[in-house]
Amino acid sequence: MEDVLCDFCHTPWTLDRPMVEGHHGSCICGNCLRAAWALTVTAQASDRPEAAPTKCTMCLEERTDRLFQSPAFPEAFICLRCVRLASRAVARDQEDASTAE
Ligand SMILES: [Zn+2]
Ligand SMILES: [Zn+2]
């Protein structure tokens, strides 16, 4: 477990913070996920009309929906869909009722 790093801030996974795994061993921690949520899900108005397809670090698909780019590691992206999936997984873990449907 000590080898698992967040792809977006390279912080090692510790038990006191949530970490969500992507499909190919990539990971995002709760802190980065919060930042990603704010910039993708919450920022509904600011769409990316001229978005070029960008490879999402979590699902490895070329995505044209909104993506969050890591400020510290610009090669790391997470797409809107993965943000939603990861947030749901974290909410399950933490019993965070605020994001539950
Ligand atoms: Zn992180
Ligand atoms: Zn994705």
Side-chain angles (χ1 to χ4, degrees):
M1 178 187 280
E2 61 268 16
D3 291 338
V4 178
L5 299 178
C6 171
D7 276 77
F8 294 80
C9 65
H10 290 200
T11 300
W13 184 9
T14 55
L15 282 174
D16 61 340
R17 70 167 72 203
M19 185 77 93
V20 181
E21 260 192 280
H23 293 301
H24 303 271
S26 50
C27 289
I28 185 167
C29 72
N31 286 347
C32 294
L33 188 57
R34 252 198 305 280
W37 180 276
L39 286 170
T40 55
V41 179
T42 308
Q44 296 283 351
S46 59
D47 232 322
R48 305 194 314 152
E50 293 163 34
T54 304
K55 197 182 218 180
C56 169
T57 303
M58 296 294 280
C59 62
L60 299 186
E61 288 178 25
E62 299 277 341
R63 305 288 296 173
T64 53
D65 54 357
R66 279 187 297 275
L67 290 108
F68 168 73
Q69 181 180 27
S70 163
F73 301 94
E75 72 278 10
F77 288 90
I78 183 170
C79 68
L80 177 60
R81 185 186 58 177
C82 288
V83 170
R84 287 188 189 280
L85 285 172
S87 298
R88 218 170 293 155
V90 169
R92 257 203 314 275
D93 285 353
Q94 300 191 317
E95 300 175 352
D96 182 353
S98 64
T99 55
E101 300 270 306

